[in-house]
Each structure stands twice: as structure tokens, then as C-alpha cells.
Amino acid sequence: MMLPAAEAGCRERDSPACCTGRNNECFEYTRRKTVCYCDAYCQKTRDCCEDYQQVCQKSAATDCEVGTWGPWSPCTSPCGIGSTERSRQVSVPPRNGGMPCPDLKQRRGCFGNNVVCSSAKEVAKILPDSYKRNFKDPWRRPHMLMKEEKASYCVYLRVKQASVACKLKLWSAQLVRDRLVCAECQSDAMSKADRCGGDGLEGSRTFWVAASVSGCHGSWVRESSSERCHCQPYSVLFV
């Protein structure tokens, strides 16, 4: 029902007299029997009731203001496809129907190429610990120079995948999904960098192959490592 001309305007609306944001139901009729609005959005569309400023706007509207974008975060994947994001802060919040804040976060794709990525491409070659060299050579002459022995270290890896062929040998049959394996890196298998090739990356899947079992291969993820360490019996060796 149309209100009498004398009663038109925001002052005569039921509680709440004014509406925040955009609300098409927050309206009244002018003296010319046209629709006028009492919501905050009417300032943008310029169709406010005549008494809107007096009744609803005790102070001027303040638009949202934001700061500059911060730096992009590191890529979520150190090696391969991932994502990165940046953010910014609100410096002045909107008030009295002012313009709302724009997006405060941005995200985009990225391709990680960390310095460790080359290690992720290495494939570890392993053998059972029965190949471990822990004996003295009875044929060595006292005057012969011995090769410098470097301290062994242990790597603990969680198996993620193993091929069916691994079941052909007793030692490789133990390489099953979710099993934690200790792999020892001995001096003979170390490179000039004093490490064994394919000794894994923490948090990233790498690959291995059983050197003495044809077709036995899989993947694992490095969980931890220990310096100057020897793995327990029935473990594996890097070769």
C-alpha cells in the first residue's frame, strides 16, 4: 500500500529505519509516488530518499583502502608444478556504506626448480645388507696403503610403491608399501660429495631399483637420516 505523501521517506520506515549494503526491499515512495531507497547502495545509484542523509548518514561514507601487495610466497612444490600466493592488508576499513574491500589474497601457479631438484631425479640402486663390507682383508700386506674409509650414514625411507617382481627374492619382498626402510651409505658407494646417489629428499618422492632382482623397482620418501650410523640387520645398502 502506498504511504501518504507526508509520511514518505527513510524516517518513517519500520525498524531498522535504514539498511546496510544493497537491499532492494529497503525503499519508500516519494511525494511524486516514485520509489526511493534507504539502503547504503543508493548513494552509488543516486536514488536515495530525500531524508536519507539526515536519517541514515550521520557521517560521510568511507571507502575501503588497502596497502600494497606483499611478496609472493615460495612455490609449494620445490620440484615441479605448485602454487604461490601473496596478500595485502586493510589500511582503512569501509564505513557508512563506503566501497567494500577488494581481494586481499592472490594465488597463481608456479614451477619449483630448487637446487635439490637434480637429486630428486637420481635413482637409488640398492642391495641387501649381506653385501656389507665389515671384515678385514686377510691378504693385505702391512706396507700396502688402505683406501681411506669414510664414515657410513643411514637414511630412513618410507616405501610408497614396489613392483610385483620384488617378491622374487626374500630381501626385496620386504620392500612393501608404507614400510620404513633403513638404507646405509658406505664409503665404497659414496661420490666425491661424500654421499650416495639417490639417497632421497625429505617430503618428495624419489625412485629406487634393486640391483640384484630383475624388474624390482619402486619409489619412496625420505623421512630422516643419521650421520656415522649403521643400519640394523636385514636392511639395504646403496651401491
Side-chain angles (χ1 to χ4, degrees), residues 26-44:
C26 194
F27 71 91
E28 287 295 347
Y29 291 98
T30 66
R31 293 180 175 85
R32 298 180 179 179
K33 299 181 181 180
T34 58
V35 174
C36 65
Y37 291 87
C38 301
D39 61 347
Y41 198 74
C42 73
Q43 296 180 103
K44 310 299 178 185

Side-chain angles (χ1 to χ4, degrees), residues 155-160 174-183 220-225 231-232 234-236:
V155 182
Y156 299 91
L157 305 115
R158 185 76 61 181
V159 178
K160 293 299 181 182
Q174 302 178 60
L175 299 169
V176 295
R177 182 180 176 85
D178 291 331
R179 181 164 187 171
L180 187 64
V181 175
C182 180
W220 52 21
V221 174
R222 179 172 177 166
E223 292 194 354
S224 62
S225 62
C231 290
Q232 68 277 12
Y234 307 108
S235 56
V236 299

Side-chain angles (χ1 to χ4, degrees), residues 9 12 17 46 56 101 109 118 123 135 168 171 175 195 209 235:
E12 305 302 325
R46 300 184 182 277
C56 302
C101 297
S118 58
V123 178
F135 58 89
L168 297 176
W171 76 270
L175 299 169
R195 58 174 291 269
V209 59
S235 56

